[in-house]
Amino acid sequence: MALNQQQQLDAILTAYGPIVGMLLILLGIALTLAGPRLIPLLTAWALFIPFAFTAGAVANAFLGVDARIAIWIGIGVGMLAGYSGQSLGKYFHIIVGGAVGMGVMAIILSLLIEFYDFNWIVAAVALDISFIIGARLAKDAKEAVTFVSSASLGGISVAAGVAITSAGMKGLDDFDPATGQSAMIIVACILVGSFFQQWRYADDFE
């Protein structure tokens, strides 16, 4: 009996789940222990993905380029964006600080909107100001922010990898970085990774 699309997808995810999980675990360990060395690569990859998808979609949907050619156009644009932007890795701590500032402001706004009615312009300005404040506060804390943030990313990757390896891709349904096994893995990675990076890479920031 032929499998429907959903069943085929589930079969593929079941078959490749352990492989994906192990790759995430290996990536997480690398981030936890060697985060500062991988930041330029992560920055390049973070720029490659959105630029590649956007360029490919625009070329195919709006310029009428054949899908197979559009894919290569997207890859080319993504590679250029990643290569050009990898030097931004040295500002990683500032970006993280700004992102944290925006996250805090987003939480505050979500609470205030229950009591006050304000338009999106006010929210946008508040988020921009919070990004600047967060980036400014992180400017003089490059070492700490880099170590903790890379170890945190590593911990999340390891925890997600363990969830997938043990329960397949559906294990992500129970993945909760705030509780249970996932939380313990993330905390352990942050502690071990931060101390290890402090010992191994502190001289690179002097």
Side-chain angles (χ1 to χ4, degrees):
M1 181 177 179
L3 298 177
N4 59 36
Q5 283 188 328
Q6 183 61 45
Q7 290 173 325
Q8 291 176 353
L9 179 60
D10 290 341
I12 292 173
L13 294 179
T14 300
Y16 289 99
I19 297 175
V20 173
M22 287 305 300
L23 289 175
L24 283 173
I25 291 173
L26 292 175
L27 174 62
I29 293 173
L31 285 171
T32 300
L33 301 179
R37 296 289 174 87
L38 297 177
I39 284 175
L41 178 62
L42 290 175
T43 305
W45 182 248
L47 290 171
F48 169 83
I49 294 176
F51 275 90
F53 274 103
T54 302
V58 169
N60 178 248
F62 296 100
L63 301 181
V65 178
D66 182 79
R68 289 172 292 183
I69 299 176
I71 290 173
W72 288 106
I73 292 175
I75 291 174
V77 172
M79 290 179 67
L80 286 174
Y83 179 78
S84 301
Q86 63 179 334
S87 61
L88 293 174
K90 61 185 177 182
Y91 303 112
F92 181 74
H93 62 294
I94 295 177
I95 297 172
V96 170
V100 171
M102 288 185 70
V104 172
M105 180 56 69
I107 294 173
I108 294 174
L109 290 175
S110 68
L111 296 175
L112 291 179
I113 201 171
E114 299 291 334
F115 306 98
Y116 303 99
D117 186 20
F118 46 83
N119 58 38
W120 65 269
I121 296 178
V122 174
V125 171
L127 289 171
D128 288 340
I129 293 175
S130 65
F131 181 91
I132 294 172
I133 294 174
R136 182 66 184 85
L137 292 174
K139 183 179 180 180
D140 299 323
K142 181 176 183 179
E143 182 178 321
V145 172
T146 300
F147 294 163
V148 174
S149 58
S150 61
S152 299
L153 289 173
I156 293 172
S157 182
V158 171
V162 170
I164 292 173
T165 303
S166 60
M169 297 299 289
K170 291 185 177 180
L172 289 178
D173 295 339
D174 299 323
F175 173 69
D176 185 355
T179 60
Q181 175 181 269
S182 298
M184 290 188 288
I185 291 174
I186 293 172
V187 170
C189 286
I190 291 174
L191 293 176
V192 173
S194 297
F195 282 114
F196 179 84
Q197 292 180 43
Q198 173 68 32
W199 168 72
R200 181 65 181 82
Y201 304 110
D203 293 341
D204 296 344
F205 291 85
E206 295 179 356

